[in-house]
């Protein structure tokens, strides 16, 4: 473990005009926290946000809106962290806590991998930024994950980890927790999978399905969503957790690592492209939006998510919400059901 000296932002340097019209989580409190030097450095680093030919005021409006969104998200996260994890920044950072953080040294970028929140395409972007690929469109899914030549932060020396945490732009993209969970279930259990069916499917069926067939016990195929949730909520799980459904609050340690940019999957391309322009990425590099795993399957949406959660009773939905409670709180996602408390 090692300590990381936090960056101390100076006083207010630049603040977007308060009359900017925004929606959703951009509607921050009437008294907004200041845009610190750290935010300003990220948001104002390059001079070009919008392609040439855009209306003169569009760049400023986008910059203001995105700045307000980031300040609001960071302010909320700080409040939640202060309330629920007081003093966490005084603790040393362990290698486990940075084990999901990918490093792109040429751009000075750290990206915490959140599966089912655009991580495959983020790895493609990192490969292009690092020079191991010329285009995101030619990178197959398996190459993005298993032949990406990317290093994770825990592979560096203690000094290297500390310096990168101090000076690089740290990026986190999150997704509505229930939607992310359903996306993971559909991907890993409803499609053929040589790893998740035997490793997770077999013990899940064995533990939670009465009178399971020999075929199901042998292959691990056919896990139902309710069985999957039973496994997730079981304090004595027959098989351990997996990063695809681990809460972001545990996966990326947001209270400890002080992410500079907090993006959301729901506006992934817009926010990712904005970030790429901010860090000075090549102008022809934009965030890809193609779906290369099970491309014929409909993308997991709130409607599809609701369809899966209708298979659970009210108690199971409440317990699932409790499981992801910190993610809902930290990233301002509304309660997905009115009867949750």
């Amino acid at each position: 473990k090692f300590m990381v000296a936090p960056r101390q932002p100076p006083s207010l340097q630049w603040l977007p005009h308060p009359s900017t019209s925004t929606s959703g989580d951009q509607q921050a409190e009437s008294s907004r926290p200041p845009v610190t030097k750290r935010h300003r450095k990220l948001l104002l680093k390059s001079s070009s946000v919008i392609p040439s030919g855009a209306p003169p005021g569009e760049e400023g409006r986008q910059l203001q809106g995105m700045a307000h969104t980031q300040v609001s998200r960071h302010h909320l996260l700080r409040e939640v962290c202060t309330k629920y994890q007081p003093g966490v920044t005084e603790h040393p950072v362990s290698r486990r806590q940075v084990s999901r953080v990918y490093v792109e040294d040429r751009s000075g970028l750290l990206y915490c991998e959140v599966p089912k929140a655009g991580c495959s395409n983020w790895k493609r972007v990192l490969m292009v930024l690092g020079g191991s690929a010329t285009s995101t469109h030619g990178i197959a899914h398996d190459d993005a994950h298993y032949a990406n030549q990317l290093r994770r932060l825990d592979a560096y020396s203690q000094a290297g980890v500390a310096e990168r945490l101090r000076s690089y732009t740290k990026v986190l993209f999150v997704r509505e927790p229930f939607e992310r969970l359903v996306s993971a279930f559909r991907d890993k259990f409803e499609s053929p999978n040589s790893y998740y069916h035997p490793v997770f499917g077999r013990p899940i069926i064995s533990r939670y399905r009465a009178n399971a067939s020999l075929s199901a016990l042998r292959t691990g195929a056919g896990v139902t969503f309710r069985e999957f949730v039973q496994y997730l909520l079981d304090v004595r799980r027959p098989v351990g957790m997996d990063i695809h459904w681990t809460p972001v609050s545990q996966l990326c340690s947001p209270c400890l690592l002080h992410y500079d940019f907090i993006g959301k999957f729901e506006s992934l391309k817009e926010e990712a492209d904005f970030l790429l322009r901010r860090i000075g990425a090549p102008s022809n590099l934009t965030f890809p939006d193609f779906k290369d795993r099970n491309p014929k399957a409909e993308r997991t949406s709130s409607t599809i998510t609701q369809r899966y959660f209708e298979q659970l009773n009210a108690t199971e939905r409440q317990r699932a919400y409790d499981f992801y409670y910190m993610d809902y709180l930290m990233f301002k996602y509304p309660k997905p059901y009115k009867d949750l408390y």
Side-chain angles (χ1 to χ4, degrees):
K1 294 184 178 181
F2 44 90
M3 297 298 293
V4 177
R7 289 179 286 183
Q8 298 296 329
S11 59
L12 172 65
Q13 298 289 332
W14 175 80
L15 184 65
H17 195 277
S19 63
T20 301
S21 175
T22 56
S23 60
D25 64 358
Q26 295 182 15
Q27 295 176 338
E29 298 80 353
S30 57
S31 176
R32 298 181 187 273
V35 178
T36 65
K37 183 178 179 182
R38 183 175 68 176
H39 297 128
R40 187 170 60 90
K41 178 182 177 183
L42 175 63
L43 294 167
L44 301 178
K45 185 175 181 181
S46 71
S47 60
S48 175
V49 184
I50 304 296
S52 59
E58 185 65 22
E59 177 179 347
R61 284 192 290 272
Q62 186 193 34
L63 185 63
Q64 290 172 345
M66 193 66 70
H68 276 319
T69 298
Q70 286 301 308
V71 172
S72 178
R73 289 175 185 172
H74 282 88
H75 183 61
L76 172 64
L77 182 59
R78 285 196 302 271
E79 285 187 338
V80 173
C81 292
T82 298
K83 181 177 180 179
Y84 291 94
Q85 297 185 32
V88 67
T89 56
E90 299 173 7
H91 299 162
V93 179
S94 70
R95 293 194 175 276
R96 179 188 60 79
Q97 289 168 319
V98 297
S99 63
R100 305 313 313 175
V101 177
Y102 282 83
V103 179
E104 206 299 282
D105 282 313
R106 296 207 313 189
S107 300
L109 196 67
L110 299 180
Y111 163 71
C112 187
E113 175 189 26
V114 177
K116 314 312 299 179
C119 71
S120 299
N121 282 333
W122 262 114
K123 288 179 181 178
R124 292 182 173 99
V125 167
L126 294 179
M127 291 172 69
V128 174
L129 288 173
S132 60
T134 57
S135 169
T136 58
H137 292 275
I139 305 172
H141 179 272
D142 285 352
D143 290 338
H145 284 282
Y146 308 117
N148 54 41
Q149 301 181 32
L150 300 172
R151 295 182 72 184
R152 294 204 292 240
L153 191 53
D154 61 348
Y156 290 80
S157 68
Q158 177 176 325
V161 172
E163 174 59 23
R164 285 167 176 81
L165 285 174
R166 186 193 67 80
S167 61
Y168 282 18
T169 299
K170 298 181 288 296
V171 177
L172 173 66
F173 271 79
V174 299
R175 185 177 187 177
E176 202 284 331
F178 277 10
E179 189 174 304
R180 177 174 168 245
L181 180 67
V182 170
S183 178
F185 172 78
R186 295 178 71 205
D187 182 28
K188 304 307 178 187
F189 294 99
E190 290 189 342
S191 304
N193 194 296
S194 60
Y195 174 76
Y196 283 91
H197 288 187
V199 174
F200 286 86
R202 286 174 184 167
I204 287 175
I205 291 173
S206 178
R207 171 74 70 90
Y208 307 108
R209 183 180 301 179
N211 303 315
S213 68
L214 292 177
S215 175
L217 292 171
R218 183 180 69 255
T219 64
V223 171
T224 68
F225 184 66
R226 190 172 194 181
E227 290 168 342
F228 174 61
V229 171
Q230 285 179 293
Y231 142 78
L232 183 75
L233 303 176
D234 192 342
V235 295
R236 297 182 178 179
R237 299 184 190 95
V239 60
M241 280 290 288
D242 183 86
I243 61 171
H244 288 82
W245 43 85
T246 297
V248 177
S249 55
Q250 299 175 21
L251 196 65
C252 293
S253 302
C255 289
L256 182 64
L257 298 186
H258 300 297
Y259 290 95
D260 299 290
F261 193 95
I262 301 171
K264 289 194 171 183
F265 180 83
E266 292 74 19
S267 48
L268 174 59
K269 181 166 176 56
E270 176 189 0
E271 295 189 9
D273 282 341
F274 180 88
L275 175 63
L276 290 174
R277 302 289 76 77
R278 294 300 88 208
I279 65 172
S283 59
N284 63 344
L285 176 59
T286 59
F287 195 81
D289 60 359
F290 51 86
K291 182 178 186 289
D292 62 351
R293 272 183 67 82
N294 308 312
K296 295 182 179 179
E298 185 179 356
R299 289 180 186 267
T300 301
S301 62
S302 59
T303 301
I304 290 177
T305 299
Q306 185 173 10
R307 190 186 309 157
Y308 279 80
F309 271 85
E310 286 173 352
Q311 301 172 31
L312 309 180
N313 59 41
T315 299
E316 290 166 332
R317 286 197 298 268
Q318 179 65 54
R319 292 185 61 208
Y321 177 73
D322 293 342
F323 186 84
Y324 288 106
Y325 179 69
M326 290 307 299
D327 283 11
Y328 276 101
L329 205 59
M330 286 179 170
F331 307 114
K332 202 177 183 179
Y333 284 108
K335 292 181 181 179
Y337 292 92
K338 293 181 179 180
D339 60 349
L340 297 173
Y341 56 86

